[in-house]
Amino acid sequence: MTTTDLPLAPTADVAGCCGPAVTQAVDPDTARDLARAFKALADPTRVQLLAIVASQSGGEACVCDLTEPVGLSQPTVSHHLKILVDAGLLTREQRGRWAYYSLVPSALTQLGAALAETTSS
């Protein structure tokens, strides 16, 4: 068996091909808020609910009007709406027996801007 010694690549100039890794491109609080919002929007039902609420005249919708369009029970729709409220995308107002939801002003614009800011480098 024949062996051949191969020269090793120089390791002194490692920074020449790759710069040092950025240790923190986005602060942890912003990352957590973005993740919460995108996790809330990762479900097709929640995207539908957000779109329905945003498209209503007056900019709000009663939970009682949201069950039929998505074909789910009221408790399930309320659960999805709670996630959207917790993510800061909707607000909730209790009026007697029913809860009314409305889009947080500029929530989606701010979400898009925060994402653009964290990915622009």
Side-chain angles (χ1 to χ4, degrees):
M1 173 194 286
T2 305
T3 60
T4 306
D5 290 330
L6 298 174
L8 296 175
T11 58
D13 189 23
V14 172
C17 73
C18 304
V22 177
T23 58
Q24 190 170 340
V26 61
D27 68 272
D29 291 336
T30 301
R32 186 180 61 252
D33 292 343
L34 278 172
R36 182 182 303 125
F38 282 112
K39 185 175 181 180
L41 291 172
D43 185 282
T45 299
R46 291 193 282 268
V47 172
Q48 283 182 298
L49 289 168
L50 190 71
I52 293 167
V53 170
S55 68
Q56 296 300 304
S57 62
E60 68 178 15
C62 175
V63 69
C64 61
D65 297 325
L66 296 172
T67 56
E68 186 179 327
V70 294
L72 298 171
S73 68
Q74 185 272 323
T76 302
V77 170
S78 291
H79 169 74
H80 286 298
L81 291 167
K82 180 185 182 320
I83 292 171
L84 291 168
V85 168
D86 290 346
L89 300 170
L90 293 178
T91 60
R92 179 184 187 274
E93 181 184 340
Q94 190 72 36
R95 295 184 200 157
R97 182 176 170 193
W98 296 106
Y100 287 79
Y101 294 85
S102 51
L103 189 64
V104 171
S106 71
L108 297 178
T109 304
Q110 291 174 351
L111 183 60
L115 180 63
E117 184 179 309
T118 61
T119 58
S120 65
S121 298

